Structures are given as structure tokens and as C-alpha cells.
Amino acid sequence: MTPSATLDATARTLALVGHPNVGKSVLFHRLTGTYVNVSNYPGTTVEVSRATPRFDRDASLLDTPGVLSLPARSDDERATMRALLNEDMRTLIQVGDAKNLRRTLNLTALLAELGVPMVLALNMTDEANARGVTVDTAALAESLGIPVIATIATGGEGVVPLTDALKHAAEPAPLLRYDDETERAIQAVTGLIAHHAPHPRLAARGLAILLLGHDPEVSAWLDEKAGAGAAEIRKLIADTAAGRKEPLAALLARERGRAAEALSRTVSKQAAGKDRTMAMRVGQLAVHPVWGWPILLAVLYVVYLFVGDFGAGTLVGLLEEDFFGGVLNPAMTDFVQHYVTIPWIADLLVGEYGLWTMGMTYALALILPIVTTFFLAFGVLEDSGYFSRLSVIANRMFAAIGLNGRAVLPMVLGLGCVTMATLTTRILQTPRERLITIFLMALAIPCSAQLGVVFGLLGGISFNATLIWAGCMLLILLTAGFLAGKLVKGRRIPLVTELPPMRMPVLGNVLKKTGGRLKWYLVEVIPLFLIGTLLMFLLDRLGVLPWIIKAGEPLVSGWLGLPPEASAAFVMGFLRRDFGATGLFALSSELTMIQAVVGMVTITLFVPCIASVMMIVKERGMRTAAIMLAIIMPTAFFVGGVLNHVLHLFM
């Protein structure tokens, strides 16, 4: 947490709390007007987002990461628990899934013990109705003693009643009843917390239950606040656990499940024959052990047609050849040569390595149409609920590399931006999983801009060329992951994830996400393209680039079998992978199919961009980042050379 996130008696803080994929981020946008990355799969929100709500300009609204359960286990759950402990929490807005009331109430039962005024927003009621699930919100509100509002966040329905209900937020009625022995233990720990470390907002009883369930954030908070009293509390907890046949954490969790099940049966009904909608059938087929794979291949083929054929073919042709090549660049060149009298400045602007003729042309005419179509396809897939199913499909395959299917989520995000995806590895449960996943992303996961260029170059040659590249990437990913899984100590954590319903993507969500990502591209990537072009210009002027091309010939031309000019693409690749890939794209007319495949495989495996390296340093440290780079660079050229010789044997 930042210093501003600590307790402040003058601030009023409200927090959205709930399971992953229940619509917290969409509701956050509705309540604040602030856009966060709204996606229909778990793991989107990995840190606390904060904004001023429209309905109270003196308050602060938090969008906390989704919690599968409390006590906290994963990093996103720990972040949510830190927010509950450290914020001046006046009101909780629990966002629940109307289709799965029992699961929602399981969390409600624990939040109720914390003694913070609450409102329950039962979201996705449209999907619940489609499945024949009806919830008596009035009866539920009476049982809980808090306002319960039915909402459809994607359509804005129920948002106004929800903001009105916040005025009537109340502490929920307790739902949990324990056996006498457990109750005595809870009361004893509660008394010690109230004496040694009373919390200004959270009830000591709720903190005691979390401590008995071994919540690490509550434990760390206790060490900080209770001083010497923390040892007394820990001894009491240890004495309580001693001699029990069943761990207290399991007993407490079972009681929450029992209470949630009992209440959900009382206030909800399932209509006969409506529990299997078309969306449910499609969702089940998407994770089927047999049919899931043909569906995945069909999805990838459609993305290939949209991005590789339409984006990189039709749109790039219109922009790069017709508009830039035929109209804009000649006009810009004539203008510069007419008004700029200093030759080297004119060359810097419109020469072979000119800021306009290379940097802006690459960025706007070659890459922009490709990444735009990719971002649109990416947005449709994530908003439909398909991406979360990838974790289920990939789970068995990932078991071979010591991971579970949840690791596929950062990797899929890495197709958008490896830098940000490195940050989202915090949703993984162990340091071992995070380390392996970061390494695999740095090695073999291309970002959207690079992937678009790959589709553009190889798709323009043949679909088979694209399949060979994809097969190589998959083989390298599994091989590297298998070796990393054997070398990195630790155990594999079983997959536990939430599958959202399959649904038609919301056009507004897709366009907002695409617009946000394009803004990132224009603001952050284009300057790097210009810096890379300037670097190439300086290297060429100083005579270094020809020397690099000459020195790299044995490796690039001999081992990889590429034209000597391809050495320049690898120089550009040091700055950004996609810049290097674009350098190969510019040579596409000179490349055979084998050279194109070998070049793209090598550049994909080549060093990650500078921003990704900095993020790896931030997350794992300088030493780990250096070791990764020392492994990745030789691996890229080794694999590229082997592939070159293998393809020449069979093609």
C-alpha cells in the first residue's frame, strides 16, 4: 500500500469486494467513470485501484482484487486483505454472482464477522435469469440485515439503486455458529486481540477467525500492532490447534459452506429445465477434453484470418503501399529535401534510417493496423469468457512443466503486453510458479505488436509457415518449461479457478479496451520506434552498423541462413522485439519461406524488450533477470540454426 492508503480519519473509503469475475471492475467504472481493464476472466485486477465515486466527491472507492477465499492465500487475496486492514473502511460493497448464490454467501459469512457496514450487489442477474435462477432479494436482505440490490453492471442496471442503498449500509447479521470448543477458542483469541491490538474498524472476532485460519496478512498486522502480546496470541492459537483431529482452518471453512448452502436454498430457486442454456453448452464444449482442442484451433484460425490476412494483408497494403508509399512519404521527402538544406538532417528525417521514412512508417503503416486488429480480436475473446477456459484446457499440458492451468492467464495477457503480464504473475500462488512463468514469457511469448508482425509476414507466405512457427513456439515452451520445472524446487499447486459464463461480447467493453491499448501503443511504443530508428541512423553514420552486419554474417547468414541485412533486425530487437520483427518484415520480399520462419522463430525467442527486462528486475531482482537473459539469447540463435538445417532437410 502507498502512504496515502493508510488510515485517515478525514477520509471515507468504500471498497468493492468479491470473487474473481463477478463484475467488480465494470461496476467500478459505472460508479466512478474511471476505466480499468475490464476483462471477462480471472486475474485482471491484481492491485487495488482507487478513484473518487460520482455519488460522493469526498469519498474514495477501491476496486480490490478478486478473492477465491479468505483467509488469504494468493497475492490478490493478500492485497484485498491488506486493503481491509489498512484502509479507513467505512462501507463494503460486496459484488456477488447471482448465478452462484451459495459461493457468494460463503464470502458474505466471513465479511459479516468483520463488523463493517455492507451492501450486497447481486450482479449478472440477467445471466442468472437465463439459467432459470431467481433470488428473493427482499428475503435475503432480511436474513442478512443489509441492503441487497440486483444489478447488471455491463448494462448499468441497478447502479442508481445501489448508490442509494449505500446510505442504508449496515453491519450484517452473523451467519456462523460453531461448536462449543471452537467458539471458546474464537472468544479467547478475540479477547486478546481486543486487549493488545484493537482495530479501529474491523471487529476483533473477525480478525480472530482469520488468524485461526492462518491468514498471513492478519498475522503480519498482529506482529506490527500487538507487540509482545502477539506471542501470547500465537501461543493460544497453537494450544487450540494441538490435539485436534481436524485443522481449525478446514473446520471454519466447512461451517461457512454449510451456512451459505442453507441460506441460498432458502432464498433462491432453480427453474426446471433451464439449467443448461446454449451459452452453458458452448462453455462446456470449450473445456471438453476432446472437443476443446478443435474449438481452440478454430478460434486461432479465425484470429489468424482477421489479423494475419485482413490486418497485415489488406490494411497494411492500403496504408503502407498505397497511402504512405504512394502519397505521404514522397510528399514528405520532397518537402524535407526542398526546405532542409543540411544533408545529414534531411537524411535523419527521410533517409534509409529516417525518423519518418522508417520510424513513423513502421509504427503507423506497418504495425498500427496489425495491432489494432489484434487488439480487437483479443478484446472479443476475453470479453466472451473464452480465455478463462484456456486455463482448463492447458491444465493437463502445464502439469508436465510443473505448473497448473492458471499460469496460462498471464501468458495469454503476455500476448497483449509481456511487461504488464509479468506483473500479473502475482496471481500465481507460489514464487516457484511465478519464476517459471516469467521465464517462459520472456523466452517464448510474443507481445501483440510482434505477434501481429509474425502473422503479417508468415500469413502472407502461407498458412503452413504460420503453423510451423506456432508448432516451434509450443515445443520450445513445453521443453523449456519441463526443464525449468525440474530445476526449480517446489511443488505444483492444483488448479482452482472460476469459469465465467460464455456470452456475447459487449461492444462497448471491446472498443474501450481496444482504445485503451491503442493509446498505450501510440504513447509508449511509437517513441521507442523513433529511438530505435535514431540508434540505427547513428550506427549507420558511424560505420558501426555495416561492421555489425559483416561480423554477424557467420551467425546470421551461415548458421541461421538469413540475408546479411537481417543482422540489423537483431540490433533493433535489442530495443524491442516487435521493432526487430518489423525489420524482418521489411525484408519479406527477399526472404524464402524457410528464411521467414527461421527469422521469426529466432526473433520471437530473442531478448524481451527493455520495459519487460525492467519489470523482471522489479519482480525478481537483477541477478535473476541477468541469468534469464544469459539463457535466452544463446537459446534463440541455437534453436533458429537447428530449425534452419532441419527445414532444409525436409523442404
Side-chain angles (χ1 to χ4, degrees), residues 388-413:
S388 61
R389 281 157 176 81
L390 282 177
S391 64
V392 177
I393 297 173
N395 189 50
R396 184 172 299 177
M397 179 175 64
F398 274 43
I401 59 179
L403 299 174
N404 64 47
R406 202 177 190 204
V408 81
L409 298 174
M411 292 188 185
V412 169
L413 287 172

Side-chain angles (χ1 to χ4, degrees), residues 147-289:
V148 177
I149 308 298
T151 62
I152 305 173
T154 53
E157 297 180 34
V159 174
V160 173
L162 176 62
T163 57
D164 292 339
L166 291 173
K167 304 170 187 174
H168 308 290
E171 295 184 19
L175 296 180
L176 305 176
R177 300 290 184 273
Y178 301 103
D179 62 79
D180 292 342
E181 183 183 2
T182 302
E183 185 61 38
R184 284 194 297 272
I186 293 173
Q187 291 181 5
V189 177
T190 299
L192 290 177
I193 292 176
H195 176 70
H196 292 290
H199 194 281
R201 293 290 175 190
L202 304 184
R205 178 180 175 85
L207 296 175
I209 292 172
L210 289 166
L211 266 180
L212 289 167
H214 306 296
D215 187 290
E217 291 301 321
V218 177
S219 180
W221 174 85
L222 183 70
D223 289 338
E224 179 184 351
K225 301 296 183 182
E232 183 181 355
I233 297 173
R234 292 188 189 284
K235 183 178 185 305
L236 176 58
I237 293 174
D239 292 342
T240 301
R244 282 181 171 266
K245 294 181 179 179
E246 182 182 23
L248 265 176
L251 185 149
L252 296 171
R254 189 174 67 249
E255 172 56 28
R256 288 194 296 273
R258 185 204 62 76
E261 177 70 22
L263 182 54
S264 65
R265 287 181 179 275
T266 303
V267 299
S268 66
K269 294 180 181 179
Q270 169 72 62
K274 291 196 70 176
D275 57 342
R276 286 183 58 80
T277 64
M278 178 59 70
M280 291 180 65
R281 293 188 181 97
V282 172
Q284 289 169 353
L285 284 175
V287 296
H288 192 276

Side-chain angles (χ1 to χ4, degrees), residues 21-100:
N21 198 55
V22 293
K24 293 189 307 303
S25 293
V26 185
L27 195 57
F28 182 79
H29 173 55
R30 295 286 182 186
L31 294 174
T32 65
T34 300
Y35 179 73
V36 291
N37 192 20
V38 178
S39 303
N40 191 27
Y41 56 91
T44 297
T45 308
V46 295
E47 291 189 331
V48 175
S49 301
R50 181 192 305 272
T52 301
R54 290 167 166 168
F55 54 85
D56 187 350
R57 308 309 293 180
D58 295 323
S60 178
L61 181 66
L62 304 184
D63 177 26
T64 63
V67 293
L68 288 172
S69 64
L70 290 176
R73 295 292 180 264
S74 65
D75 278 359
D76 37 6
E77 292 163 357
R78 295 180 70 156
T80 295
M81 197 64 238
R82 283 197 298 272
L84 292 174
L85 286 166
N86 297 320
E87 294 283 347
D88 182 23
M89 203 68 66
R90 304 300 179 95
T91 305
L92 294 181
I93 305 171
Q94 185 191 352
V95 185
D97 183 355
K99 304 184 305 300
N100 196 339

